Every structure is written in structure tokens, then in C-alpha cells.
Amino acid sequence: MAIKKESFGFMPSGQEVFKYTLTNSQGISASFITLGGIWVSMLVPDRDGKMEDVVLGYDDLDSYRKNPPHFGAPIGRNANRIGGAVITIDGKDYKLAANNGPNNLHSAPDLYHNRIWECSPSETDQGSRLDFYLESPDGDQGYPGNAKITVSYTLTEENSLVLDYHMVCDADTVANFTNHSYFNLAGQGSGPVLDQLVWLGASHYTPADEVSIPTGEIAPVAGTPMDFTEMKAIGRDIGADFEALNFGKGYDHNWVLDHEPGVLSLAAKAKDPASGRVMETWTDLPGIQFYTANFLTDELAGKGGARYGSRHAYCFETQYYPDACHKPQFPSPILKAGEAYQTTTIYKFYTES
């Protein structure tokens, strides 16, 4: 195992940004930058041993400072949407920015991935590890409480990237983190992913309205285009005349995972038949947002000058359900003062014939 540190450029303030690369004994590597703790690359082999970078992103710091799709970014304090851009905690309303129609999306605009995080590298029994640290003051993004946040990445010898999230706060607040990497197992810049296969460990999903706020219903996927309980091509049903797909312009929904919340379990699996690359997603969280990059544009050139477009990748964002703070029937993302938010998501890579 090895950890490499190099300069990735300078912020307008003059502060230097560093890139850390973790590499295991099989040559698989993952890279991250101190701007936002962003996951910027993941090099994995195909069935013939050819390496490709399977996460979308940029080659330069200036593009990551803009980063409109949130490539590779840790998202917090709340991932996904909060209806009406208002969160109610202990009977008190806290106003957030309405940056997604009437709603708040990904706690923007004061995004954590626009900030420099402290980074501490280490070698552990599990593998090479990076711990990224951030302090978020009371009122930050509109949320109450002073929060101390750690996002950790560990690259194992089993070709897994383990993401650990930890947060403590001195007031009741929301804690619902995810990572917003966009995956293309054929390699970033290779074009549409509609022929790639996906399985989701979810027999239900949360239908949403035309602005992507869940209605509160937990609906079965059986007999609908939302059914991924058997592996199928992303493109098979994506164009179906179905309300959820019409509203989302494709898949952009929360699936209710069948596993017991709090128990680390297999949540999703993707495969690129052409290369044989497979990625499993494991989590202890109750939901996963499967997003097929329906609104991705080539606003900024990607790595190697790639021009990314709609449905050129997909996201597996492990999470509490969107707008859960307004839906008492959903698992709650509220973190009590002094308690620890601790959750793990794993992306495991291998090949199949």
C-alpha cells in the first residue's frame, strides 16, 4: 500500500490544494483533493487487466471550484432535498436557501466541497486511509449547532473503497451525508451508460412530486420500471411513460433498501458487460438515490478533454430518504446534541467474465 501527496494548485487566496493518491498492491488507485475532500479518480482494471478511471471529474482545480454536478463530492450536512427549504428541529423552523425551485438541494449554496479540509493520511490494518476534517459553525448553511465532521476513505487490498462518515454537534441538527461520485464502469468519457446493468436491493421506493419531494408514500417497485430487484440494463425501461420517470427525466429517485437499517449490507450492484467491470455498493443507511445523470451537461470539459452528457454516468448516493425531516414515517436524519453520527458506505470493484 502507498500514499502519494502532490500539489493540485492554488486557491485565489493563495492557499495550496493537495492531491492524495492511495494505491494498493494490485495497482488499483483512488485519488482525493483537500478542496472538499473530493474523490477525483478511481483506476480499476477490466477483465483483461486494462486500467480505466471509472469516476467522472476534472483535471484542474479551477473546474473543481465550480463543479456544478458535484463530481466526487461529500455532501452535507444534508444530502438531497428538503421541501420548502425549511427544516424543523425541536419545533423550530430553520430557513435554508431555496436553490432547487422551492426546495433546498444538497445544503447549497454554502457547499462543503467548496472549502479546504484538513487531511491526515495513515496506514491501517484495513488499508491506506485518509481522514478529512471540517468544522461547521452554528448557523452554517442555515443549520443549528457547531459540528465537527470527519470523512474518511480507506483503500483495501480487496479493492474496496471504504467511506466512513462521523459527526458530532453541540445542538440537535441534521446529519445526512453522502458522496456524489458519478460512475461509468466503461471508463469516464466513454459515453452513455444505458447498456450497463444495475441491481438494487430494494423492493420499494419513495414516489415524489414534480419537484422531486417525496409524497410520503413507500410504494412497491414490482410491475413498474422502478424494479431493479433483478439485474437489468439501465436503458431498458428508462424511457417508459411512467410518472416518476417523466418527472425525473429518467432515474433520479430514492429506493428503500430491504436490509435492516444500521446493518452494513449490499445495496446495489452495477456491471459493464463489455469490460467485465463490476461495482458493489454496501451501506448501513436506509436509502439509496440512483441517479442516471439526466441533467449532466458538457458545461465544463472533463478529464482528458472529455465532453460529458446526459446519462453518461450514474450515482449511487447512500442516504436517509429525501425530505425525511418532514416525513415522520421515514427514518429520521436528526442527530441529537452530543451524540455521534457514524455511517459507512463501501464501493467494491472486481471483474466478471
Side-chain angles (χ1 to χ4, degrees):
M1 304 293 285
I3 303 175
K4 178 183 178 182
K5 179 183 179 182
E6 57 193 313
S7 180
F8 195 70
F10 293 86
M11 298 292 285
S13 65
Q15 187 172 7
E16 190 167 12
V17 174
F18 294 97
K19 180 171 80 170
Y20 288 84
T21 300
L22 310 178
T23 306
N24 70 12
S25 64
Q26 298 165 72
I28 287 176
S29 69
S31 296
F32 310 86
I33 57 175
T34 51
L35 176 66
I38 295 171
W39 182 7
V40 299
S41 71
M42 187 76 209
L43 286 168
V44 297
D46 66 6
R47 63 168 66 91
D48 299 319
K50 181 184 178 184
M51 290 287 189
E52 292 284 357
D53 186 352
V54 298
V55 297
L56 277 58
Y58 306 111
D59 289 325
D60 63 288
L61 178 60
D62 188 55
S63 294
Y64 275 112
R65 288 181 55 232
K66 301 180 180 78
N67 196 6
H70 315 295
F71 287 144
I75 305 292
R77 294 183 194 184
N78 185 75
N80 217 304
R81 293 169 176 85
I82 292 178
V86 174
I87 187 168
T88 305
I89 302 173
D90 299 332
K92 182 178 178 180
D93 288 343
Y94 295 88
K95 183 62 180 172
L96 312 175
N99 68 310
N100 183 242
N103 309 312
N104 180 268
L105 174 62
H106 295 325
S107 301
D110 302 317
L111 295 157
Y112 285 168
H113 60 270
N114 290 339
R115 312 180 194 187
I116 303 296
W117 294 50
E118 293 183 24
C119 181
S120 176
S122 61
E123 297 291 352
T124 72
D125 291 341
Q126 196 176 15
S128 298
R129 178 182 175 108
L130 301 173
D131 292 308
F132 286 92
Y133 304 101
L134 184 73
E135 292 195 4
S136 175
D138 180 46
D140 191 11
Q141 303 174 323
Y143 300 115
N146 298 288
K148 294 184 177 181
I149 301 158
T150 306
V151 176
S152 304
Y153 303 96
T154 306
L155 180 63
T156 75
E157 283 295 304
E158 293 73 39
N159 303 333
S160 294
L161 188 71
V162 181
L163 284 64
D164 290 306
Y165 302 87
H166 183 270
M167 181 174 126
V168 292
C169 192
D170 60 5
D172 292 0
T173 193
V174 67
N176 180 27
F177 284 75
T178 197
N179 185 278
H180 212 304
S181 282
Y182 289 66
F183 301 100
N184 186 332
L185 295 180
Q188 69 83 26
S190 63
V193 294
L194 298 180
D195 292 335
Q196 296 185 31
L197 310 177
V198 164
W199 170 90
L200 299 175
S203 55
H204 292 77
Y205 76 109
T206 52
D209 63 19
E210 64 276 6
V211 291
S212 297
I213 296 299
T215 63
E217 180 187 5
I218 294 177
V221 300
T224 80
M226 313 301 281
D227 191 347
F228 285 88
T229 55
E230 293 187 3
M231 215 164 194
K232 68 177 182 182
I234 293 170
R236 193 185 85 178
D237 298 326
I238 200 169
D241 185 12
F242 186 73
E243 184 178 73
L245 297 176
N246 294 334
F247 282 162
K249 311 301 182 188
Y251 295 108
D252 186 13
H253 303 84
N254 172 72
W255 272 259
V256 175
L257 295 170
D258 290 335
H259 73 244
E260 181 183 348
V263 176
L264 187 64
S265 306
L266 180 63
K269 181 177 178 180
K271 179 178 181 178
D272 174 40
S275 67
R277 292 189 187 92
V278 179
M279 182 183 74
E280 293 180 352
T281 303
W282 294 66
T283 191
D284 50 20
L285 289 167
I288 189 167
Q289 189 88 2
F290 174 47
Y291 172 48
T292 46
N294 311 312
F295 301 100
L296 184 60
T297 69
D298 64 352
E299 178 179 350
L300 299 173
K303 299 174 191 173
R307 308 307 301 197
Y308 304 134
S310 175
R311 302 176 182 173
H312 282 204
Y314 43 88
C315 305
F316 288 140
E317 302 163 67
T318 58
Q319 62 183 6
Y320 284 95
Y321 311 160
D323 203 39
C325 59
H326 294 140
K327 306 289 192 300
Q329 68 272 39
F330 289 176
S332 175
I334 301 303
L335 177 69
K336 305 299 288 184
E339 295 185 358
Y341 169 85
Q342 181 71 53
T343 181
T344 298
T345 292
I346 300 172
Y347 297 99
K348 180 178 181 179
F349 299 89
Y350 57 95
T351 60
E352 292 179 342
S353 59

